[in-house]
Amino acid sequence: MITSTMQDDFQLTVTGILQHGSRVYPDSECVTWTGGGARRATFAEIAQNAERLAAALAKLGVNAGDRVATFCWNNQEHLEAYYAVPCMGAVLHTLNIRLPAAQLVQIVQHAEDRIVIVDDTLIPALAPVVGELTGVKAFIVVGDGDASALGDSARVLRYSELLAAEEPGFAWPELEEGSPASMCYTSGTTGDPKGVVYSHRSTYLHALATLGAAVTGFVETDRILTFVPMFHVNAWGIPFGAFLSGSTLHMPGPYMTPEPICEFIASERSTAAAAVPTIWGGILQYGAEHDIDLSSLRVGTSGGAAIPRALMEAFETKYGLRIIQGWGMTETSPVGGMAHPPADVEIGSLDELDWRLKSGRVIAGVQMRIVSDDGEELPWDGEAVGEIEVRGPWITGSYYAADVPEKFHDGWLRTGDIGTIDHRGFFQITDRSKDVIKSGGEWISSVELENLLAGNPEVAEAAVIGIPDDRWTERPLACVVLRSGSDAEPAELAKFLDGKVAAWQVPENWTFIDEVPKTTVGKFDKKVLRTRFQDGELKVERTK
Amino acid sequence: MITSTMQDDFQLTVTGILQHGSRVYPDSECVTWTGGGARRATFAEIAQNAERLAAALAKLGVNAGDRVATFCWNNQEHLEAYYAVPCMGAVLHTLNIRLPAAQLVQIVQHAEDRIVIVDDTLIPALAPVVGELTGVKAFIVVGDGDASALGDSARVLRYSELLAAEEPGFAWPELEEGSPASMCYTSGTTGDPKGVVYSHRSTYLHALATLGAAVTGFVETDRILTFVPMFHVNAWGIPFGAFLSGSTLHMPGPYMTPEPICEFIASERSTAAAAVPTIWGGILQYGAEHDIDLSSLRVGTSGGAAIPRALMEAFETKYGLRIIQGWGMTETSPVGGMAHPPADVEIGSLDELDWRLKSGRVIAGVQMRIVSDDGEELPWDGEAVGEIEVRGPWITGSYYAADVPEKFHDGWLRTGDIGTIDHRGFFQITDRSKDVIKSGGEWISSVELENLLAGNPEVAEAAVIGIPDDRWTERPLACVVLRSGSDAEPAELAKFLDGKVAAWQVPENWTFIDEVPKTTVGKFDKKVLRTRFQDGELKVERTK
C-alpha cells in the first residue's frame, strides 16, 4: 500500500501564525489610536507580550481548555490576548461589549469564563453585572483607569503589572490542530445566543484562505484599519491574516466615530479598511461637511449587512475608493464570499458596480448550495431561490453545549439566508429565512422593499415584516421612519414602489415609527417590531 | 471538556479543488498551444473529461492507490489526468520526459506504474524502453500519431477513444486528506532518483498558500503561461492553484523554444509566466533579434536555479517586466519562498532588484531554519551560514520505499542548500551542501565563483568543483567554457576575480571544457565533472 510521504501530521495552529508573523515580519506593527496619536508595537513585541501574558495566565491557574474572555475594543492588548490564550492551549472567548446585561451574564456563565480581560474604559459597561459573574476568578484591567466599580479588589488585576512581572519565552505547548482556540456567540435576533468554538485548524485555514488575491489580497505594504470589532467573529480573521501576510494593523480602540477615524486614516495612511455599512455611511456623511483625506486607502471591505448602492457609488465618485462586499457569519469564521467582479467585467465600468453589490462569490475552501423548502438542491442559475447552505473546514458543524439540529442539513450549515446563486458562484441574498414574507405561495423579499423605501428622499429608514393575512397567509407591513420634517402619506410611499416591484408585492399595510429597533451589532431587530405589532403597539394604516 | 464545533473532519482534497474550479470558474480555460494556434477547453469541460478519464481508468482496473503515470508535455490532457487520477483515489506519477532510459525504467518499476499516459509526440522517447516496462498494463496515447513503436498493440489504447466511450458524471469517492494523490522523483545529481508522494492535504494546502498576494497573487483575470513542466514538481502547483483562483492556464505543449513561446504570449495575451532561468534567457536572446510583444505580462516567476541579475535587469529595462524569484524543490511541493521585496523598499527602485535576487522569503505555511555542521540552529542575522532545513504541511517527511535518514533532522527536511537567513526571513542560498568547497575550515561558495566568472565577457559558462588539497583539504577547480574565439588564459580569469571575492577564495586550479554537463532539468551536473576529474580526464592548469 502506497502512503503519502508528506508531513501530514504537521499541525495547523494559531501558534504557527504567531511564529510566522513575529519571525518573518518582526517590524510590522499594531498601531492603536489614542485619540490625538497612536501607540505602536511591532509584531515581535506583540509576540513577546503574548508570551508574558500566557505566563501570567498560567500562574493564575489557566489550564488547557479553560476559557479566558475579553471585554475590549480593538487594541494592542486585545491582539496579544488573541494569540496568548489559544497558543497556551486555553480558549479565547470574545465578549460583545454591546450586549444587554442579561445576555452578557448568560453567555459568561454558559461559556464558564474563568478570567475576563477588560478595557478600563469599558468597566462601566461590565460593572453592573460583575456581582453575578461568580465563576470569574479574576478581572484583568487594561489601562490604569479607575477599577473600583468592579468591586472585590482581590479579583481585580492590572494587565500591565502582570506582564511586567513576566519574561518573554513562554514555552508554547504542541497542540492538536483540532483543539479549540476561541469562541464567539451569535448575536442572532431569534432565541438565545448560540456559541461556536473555532479550532486551531479552522482559524489557520481561514486566515490562509483570506490572503488570496481573490479575497483580501493583503500584503506586507498594507495597513489595515480594522473597524470590524475583535469581539465579533475574529474581526473577520484580520488579526490572524495580518500575521501571515505581515500587514500592519490599525486598531481604532474606542474611537469609532467619523472624526477620529478620519484623523487616524489621514495620519497613519491606512491602505485598507474593513467595516460594516453603518461606519462607511458615517464617514461619508462626515466627509460631506469636513475636509477629509482618504487618499491612502486602496480598498475598502464592507460586510455584516448589505451595503446600499448609493454609498458605494459615493465613495467611488468622491474618493476614488472601491468598496468590495464580503459575506459571512459567526458560524463561518466568517468569510464565505467576496463580491469581486468576474474577469470579463472591466474594472471601473458601471456594470462593475452591479457585481460588487452582489452578496459575494464563493471563496476557495467553502462549498455552497441552495435548497428549496423541501430540502432539494436547486440549480446555480441566478433564478432559483432557496436557503443558502455552506460547509467547509471553517464552517461550524454544531453549537457549543446546545443541540440545534434545525440549523444543519446533511452536514451542511443552514445559513438562514435566502437567495440565488448564478452559474459562476455569485450569490445574491434576498432575505433572511425568518424575515421573508410568504404571500399566496410566493416569496416577497423584505430586504428588497426596505432598500427601495430607503431610496425615497422622504424616508430615513424602513423595516418590513410579514403579518398574518386571511387570504394570502402573510402580507408585508412597512414600518417607516420619515425624515424630520416629512409628512409623507402611505399612499404616496406605495406609489413610489410602483413599477419597482411586482404590483402584488407592494405593501398595503403601513406604520410610522420613530426609529427601527436594532441589535447590538446594528442590524434591524425585526423580532421587536413583530412583538410590538402582536401587542397592538403599531398603528397600521391601509392603502387599499 | 470543550471541543471545537467546526467541521474539522472536512477533508482537504484535490477533488475539492476540481469542484471549486469547475463550479465557480466554469468559463476559465486551459489553452494548449498547437504551433500556429490553440486548443481550448473550459474548466467545466476539463472536469467532465476528468470524469470520463476516471471512468475509463476504472474499467481498465485502476484501483485506489494504483499508480497511473504520465509521459507528457504541458497540455490539456495532462491537466485532465492531474485531476482524474488523484480524485478517483489513484496516484498520479509524473514521469520526467528527459530522463536517461535506464533511470526511466528504474523509476517506472520502482513506482510500479500500471498505466502510462503518453503524448504521441513523445513516443520516440518512450519506445526504446517499452519492452522493459513489463508491469505496465496499458499505454494510453494522447493524439492520433503513429504508435506502432510502442509494440504490442494489445497494450496500446487511444486517449480520445477511451474518453469518447464514457459519459461525464463519475462518482468521485470520499477520500481522506492524508491519502496519496501524486508522486514525483527527484532528478538529483547524486545517487538514485528518490520519490516523494504528495497527499491530497499537502496538494490542497500548497495550492491555497500559493494564491496569497505575497506568493503569486493569481486571480481570475490572470492567464498563466506554465513553462515549468507538469512532469516536474506539480508544475509549481499552478494547475491546482488555477482551479482555486479561476486563472486561465496557458500550456505550451511541446513548443518550448522562444519563437513559438513569443507567438503564444502575443496571441493569447498571457499575464504571467513561470519558467526556469534558461527559458527566460532564451526569450531575451530571441527578443534581441526579433520584434516581440511581452506587453500583456504583468509578472514573471523564475525558479529552479538562481537567476542572473543581468537577465532580470534586461527584462525590466527592455520590457518593463518584473521577475520574481521563487525557491523550492521536489521535496517541498515545491514553493517554500518567494523573493518579494520587503515593505520598506520602493518598487521600481534599484535597491528593489537586490531583494528580488535573493533566493526567497519564507512563505506562510513553511517553517525554515539554518543549522551548522554540528546540527546547532544558527541565528537569522544574514551572516551565519548553514544548511537550510524546512518543515510544514507540504514538505516531505520521508521518501517513497527508500530509507534515507540522512536527509532528515529531528523532523525537518535537510534541503542540501547552504545559505543565510536575515532577520525578516529572506534567505540567500550560497551553494549546495555537496558543492560547497571546504578550504582550510572556511567555506567557499562554488555558485558565487560561477556567477562571477559567467560575468566575464570571455566566458560562456563556468562550473566550480572542490578537489582534494593536501594543505587546505579542498580547493576550488574552475571548469570554464570560453566563448568561441576567446583564448583567455587562467591567470587572466583569476585576475578578473581579484577584489570580487577574498583573495584566498580565488581558484588556482583551472581547466577548459567544451560545455558544462547538465542534468535533465538543465542544472549543472557537477557529479560528472568530479568523475572526469578523478578519472584524470580534465587537464588542470595552475596559476600559482
Side-chain angles (χ1 to χ4, degrees):
Chain A
M1 189 58 195
I2 188 169
T3 54
S4 155
T5 64
M6 293 288 118
Q7 298 178 13
D8 295 316
D9 56 355
F10 188 93
Q11 302 295 297
L12 308 174
T13 62
V14 173
T15 322
I17 300 176
L18 174 63
Q19 286 170 343
H20 189 76
S22 59
R23 294 212 71 174
V24 177
Y25 302 104
D27 307 332
S28 294
E29 290 181 317
C30 173
V31 180
T32 307
W33 196 241
T34 59
R39 288 191 295 141
R40 324 182 83 84
T42 65
F43 284 5
E45 288 163 348
I46 295 290
Q48 292 194 338
N49 284 344
E51 290 163 8
R52 286 191 180 93
L53 175 57
L57 291 172
K59 281 190 188 153
L60 291 173
V62 172
N63 290 314
D66 283 352
R67 268 72 79 198
V68 175
T70 53
F71 195 81
C72 300
W73 296 105
N74 289 13
N75 57 32
Q76 176 185 329
E77 292 77 9
H78 207 167
L79 183 64
E80 289 162 5
Y82 253 56
Y83 285 105
V85 178
C87 294
M88 73 185 293
V91 178
L92 178 82
H93 176 198
T94 52
L95 291 167
N96 183 337
I97 61 173
R98 300 210 182 90
L99 279 186
Q103 274 195 15
L104 183 60
V105 171
Q106 185 190 5
I107 285 176
V108 171
Q109 286 172 346
H110 189 262
E112 301 176 71
D113 296 329
R114 299 190 58 191
I115 307 267
V116 177
I117 300 174
V118 54
D119 279 349
D120 57 1
T121 55
L122 288 170
I123 288 175
L126 191 62
V129 302
V130 155
E132 293 176 70
L133 306 181
T134 48
V136 175
K137 286 175 52 182
F139 294 94
I140 300 178
V141 177
V142 176
D144 52 11
D146 179 17
S148 57
L150 291 176
D152 178 10
S153 60
R155 283 210 289 182
V156 176
L157 306 167
R158 292 286 176 173
Y159 188 92
S160 58
E161 290 170 13
L162 286 177
L163 263 63
E166 304 294 339
E167 294 295 325
F170 186 82
W172 300 121
E174 300 274 328
L175 298 170
E176 297 285 324
E177 64 183 38
S179 60
S182 60
M183 66 189 303
C184 185
Y185 282 74
T186 62
S187 47
T189 50
T190 47
D192 287 338
K194 293 182 287 293
V196 300
V197 181
Y198 306 106
S199 65
H200 282 264
R201 173 179 160 109
S202 72
T203 307
Y204 191 102
L205 290 172
H206 179 263
L208 194 63
T210 56
L211 296 188
V215 188
T216 68
F218 289 147
V219 289
E220 195 191 7
T221 44
D222 275 313
R223 295 177 291 278
I224 312 166
L225 184 41
T226 311
F227 291 122
V228 50
M230 293 173 77
F231 62 70
H232 191 54
V233 214
N234 310 312
W236 297 354
I238 295 170
F240 297 119
F243 266 60
L244 291 182
S245 65
S247 311
T248 278
L249 286 164
H250 283 177
M251 298 298 196
Y255 302 95
M256 296 286 285
T257 51
E259 186 177 350
I261 284 172
C262 291
E263 259 180 55
F264 193 3
I265 295 173
S267 131
E268 293 287 331
R269 311 292 300 158
S270 312
T271 64
V276 295
T278 322
I279 296 271
W280 287 115
I283 295 175
L284 193 68
Q285 219 168 335
Y286 182 77
E289 291 161 19
H290 301 81
D291 189 22
I292 65 174
D293 176 9
L294 305 182
S295 61
S296 59
L297 290 175
R298 69 169 181 85
V299 67
T301 309
S302 182
I307 189 166
R309 181 184 184 104
L311 192 54
M312 219 183 233
E313 263 182 2
F315 271 102
E316 197 135 348
T317 315
K318 196 158 174 197
Y319 302 106
L321 177 63
R322 287 179 84 228
I323 295 182
I324 303 283
Q325 191 163 214
W327 173 88
M329 48 202 296
T330 305
E331 290 88 338
T332 65
S333 292
V335 185
M338 285 292 281
H340 288 282
D344 54 3
V345 170
E346 196 187 337
I347 299 298
S349 67
L350 276 180
D351 191 28
E352 195 232 0
L353 203 75
D354 291 337
W355 288 98
R356 281 192 279 128
L357 280 164
K358 304 242 176 223
S359 304
R361 189 181 203 181
V362 188
I363 69 165
V366 172
Q367 294 186 358
M368 186 175 280
R369 66 178 186 182
I370 44 173
V371 297
S372 66
D373 259 3
D374 52 8
E376 290 294 306
E377 194 171 343
L378 297 169
W380 286 24
D381 59 6
E383 301 277 332
V385 175
E387 180 169 3
I388 292 176
E389 299 186 343
V390 289
R391 65 176 183 181
W394 54 85
I395 309 295
T396 206
S398 61
Y399 288 94
Y400 174 62
D403 192 26
V404 198
E406 67 273 20
K407 291 284 284 176
F408 302 94
H409 176 203
D410 293 344
W412 296 70
L413 171 75
R414 298 179 60 185
T415 65
D417 280 331
I418 302 294
T420 59
I421 311 183
D422 79 5
H423 79 290
R424 296 190 288 193
F426 283 92
F427 54 99
Q428 182 67 59
I429 294 165
T430 51
D431 218 336
R432 291 288 298 167
S433 60
K434 62 181 191 307
D435 293 333
V436 74
I437 297 153
K438 296 187 183 169
S439 174
E442 299 281 344
W443 288 2
I444 299 176
S445 164
S446 65
V447 172
E448 187 180 7
L449 293 174
E450 288 161 4
N451 288 344
L452 287 169
L453 285 169
N456 184 319
E458 305 287 322
V459 174
E461 54 183 5
V464 178
I465 59 173
I467 58 173
D469 184 275
D470 287 344
R471 182 164 174 203
W472 305 105
T473 316
E474 248 184 11
R475 287 296 298 162
L477 166 64
C479 312
V480 175
V481 182
L482 292 175
R483 284 205 187 275
S484 68
S486 165
D487 56 0
E489 293 289 326
E492 202 177 326
L493 298 174
K495 191 158 185 300
F496 174 77
L497 294 176
D498 269 0
K500 296 191 175 72
V501 293
W504 60 270
Q505 293 181 327
V506 176
E508 63 277 16
N509 306 295
W510 298 80
T511 187
F512 293 101
I513 55 180
D514 292 337
E515 66 173 323
V516 176
K518 307 216 174 49
T519 69
T520 51
V521 295
K523 296 182 187 179
F524 285 1
D525 195 345
K526 300 195 200 175
K527 191 179 50 171
V528 172
L529 284 176
R530 284 189 199 98
T531 308
R532 286 172 62 186
F533 172 79
Q534 280 154 20
D535 295 350
E537 292 174 15
L538 299 180
K539 184 188 159 218
V540 177
E541 303 178 43
R542 294 183 56 92
T543 50
K544 49 186 166 188
Chain B
M1 188 60 194
I2 188 169
T3 55
S4 155
T5 65
M6 293 288 118
Q7 298 177 14
D8 295 316
D9 57 355
F10 189 93
Q11 302 295 296
L12 309 174
T13 63
V14 173
T15 321
I17 300 176
L18 174 64
Q19 285 170 344
H20 188 76
S22 59
R23 294 212 71 173
V24 176
Y25 302 105
D27 307 332
S28 296
E29 290 180 318
C30 172
V31 180
T32 307
W33 197 241
T34 60
R39 288 192 294 142
R40 325 181 83 85
T42 65
F43 283 4
E45 288 163 347
I46 295 290
Q48 292 194 338
N49 285 343
E51 290 162 11
R52 288 191 178 93
L53 176 56
L57 291 173
K59 283 190 188 154
L60 290 173
V62 172
N63 290 314
D66 283 353
R67 267 72 78 199
V68 175
T70 53
F71 195 80
C72 301
W73 295 105
N74 289 13
N75 57 32
Q76 176 186 330
E77 291 77 10
H78 207 167
L79 183 65
E80 288 161 5
Y82 253 57
Y83 284 105
V85 178
C87 295
M88 73 185 291
V91 178
L92 178 81
H93 176 198
T94 53
L95 291 167
N96 182 338
I97 61 174
R98 299 209 183 91
L99 279 186
Q103 274 195 16
L104 183 59
V105 171
Q106 184 191 6
I107 285 175
V108 171
Q109 286 172 347
H110 188 261
E112 301 175 69
D113 297 328
R114 299 190 58 190
I115 307 267
V116 177
I117 300 174
V118 53
D119 279 350
D120 57 1
T121 55
L122 289 170
I123 288 175
L126 191 62
V129 302
V130 155
E132 294 175 70
L133 306 181
T134 48
V136 174
K137 287 176 52 183
F139 294 94
I140 300 178
V141 177
V142 176
D144 53 10
D146 178 17
S148 58
L150 291 175
D152 178 10
S153 61
R155 280 209 293 182
V156 176
L157 306 166
R158 291 286 176 173
Y159 188 93
S160 58
E161 289 170 13
L162 287 176
L163 263 63
E166 304 294 339
E167 294 295 325
F170 185 83
W172 299 121
E174 301 274 329
L175 297 171
E176 297 285 325
E177 64 183 36
S179 61
S182 61
M183 67 191 302
C184 187
Y185 282 75
T186 62
S187 46
T189 51
T190 47
D192 287 338
K194 293 182 287 291
V196 300
V197 182
Y198 307 106
S199 64
H200 282 264
R201 172 178 160 112
S202 72
T203 306
Y204 192 101
L205 290 172
H206 179 263
L208 194 64
T210 57
L211 295 188
V215 188
T216 69
F218 288 146
V219 289
E220 194 192 8
T221 44
D222 276 312
R223 294 176 292 278
I224 312 165
L225 184 41
T226 311
F227 291 123
V228 51
M230 294 173 78
F231 62 70
H232 190 54
V233 213
N234 309 313
W236 298 354
I238 295 169
F240 297 119
F243 266 62
L244 291 182
S245 65
S247 312
T248 278
L249 286 164
H250 284 176
M251 297 298 197
Y255 302 96
M256 295 286 284
T257 51
E259 186 177 350
I261 284 172
C262 291
E263 260 180 56
F264 193 3
I265 294 173
S267 132
E268 293 288 330
R269 311 292 300 157
S270 312
T271 65
V276 295
T278 321
I279 296 273
W280 287 114
I283 295 175
L284 192 69
Q285 220 169 335
Y286 182 79
E289 290 161 20
H290 301 81
D291 190 22
I292 64 174
D293 176 8
L294 306 182
S295 61
S296 59
L297 290 175
R298 69 170 180 85
V299 68
T301 309
S302 182
I307 189 165
R309 182 187 183 102
L311 191 56
M312 219 183 232
E313 263 181 2
F315 271 102
E316 196 135 348
T317 316
K318 196 158 173 197
Y319 302 105
L321 176 63
R322 287 179 85 228
I323 294 183
I324 303 283
Q325 191 162 216
W327 173 88
M329 49 201 297
T330 305
E331 289 88 337
T332 65
S333 293
V335 185
M338 286 292 280
H340 288 282
D344 54 3
V345 170
E346 198 188 336
I347 299 297
S349 68
L350 276 181
D351 192 27
E352 195 232 358
L353 203 74
D354 291 337
W355 288 98
R356 281 193 279 127
L357 280 164
K358 305 241 177 224
S359 304
R361 189 181 203 179
V362 188
I363 69 165
V366 172
Q367 295 186 359
M368 186 175 280
R369 66 179 187 182
I370 44 172
V371 296
S372 66
D373 258 3
D374 53 6
E376 290 295 306
E377 193 170 344
L378 296 170
W380 286 25
D381 60 6
E383 301 277 332
V385 176
E387 180 169 4
I388 293 177
E389 299 186 344
V390 289
R391 64 176 184 182
W394 54 85
I395 309 295
T396 206
S398 62
Y399 288 93
Y400 174 61
D403 192 27
V404 199
E406 67 273 20
K407 291 285 284 177
F408 302 95
H409 176 203
D410 293 345
W412 295 70
L413 172 74
R414 298 180 59 185
T415 64
D417 281 331
I418 303 294
T420 60
I421 311 182
D422 78 5
H423 79 290
R424 296 191 287 193
F426 283 92
F427 55 99
Q428 182 67 60
I429 293 165
T430 50
D431 217 335
R432 292 287 297 165
S433 60
K434 64 182 188 309
D435 293 334
V436 73
I437 297 152
K438 296 189 182 167
S439 174
E442 299 281 345
W443 288 1
I444 299 176
S445 164
S446 65
V447 172
E448 187 180 8
L449 293 175
E450 288 161 5
N451 287 345
L452 287 170
L453 286 170
N456 184 319
E458 305 288 321
V459 174
E461 53 184 5
V464 179
I465 59 171
I467 58 173
D469 184 276
D470 287 343
R471 182 165 173 201
W472 305 107
T473 315
E474 246 185 10
R475 287 296 299 162
L477 165 65
C479 310
V480 175
V481 182
L482 292 176
R483 283 204 189 277
S484 68
S486 166
D487 54 0
E489 293 288 325
E492 203 178 325
L493 298 174
K495 191 157 187 298
F496 173 78
L497 295 176
D498 269 359
K500 297 191 173 76
V501 293
W504 60 270
Q505 293 180 327
V506 176
E508 64 277 15
N509 306 296
W510 299 80
T511 187
F512 294 101
I513 56 179
D514 292 337
E515 66 174 323
V516 176
K518 308 217 174 50
T519 69
T520 51
V521 294
K523 297 182 186 177
F524 285 181
D525 194 346
K526 299 196 201 174
K527 190 180 48 171
V528 172
L529 284 175
R530 284 189 200 99
T531 308
R532 285 173 62 186
F533 173 78
Q534 280 153 19
D535 296 349
E537 291 174 15
L538 299 179
K539 184 189 157 214
V540 176
E541 303 177 43
R542 293 183 58 93
T543 51
K544 49 185 165 186

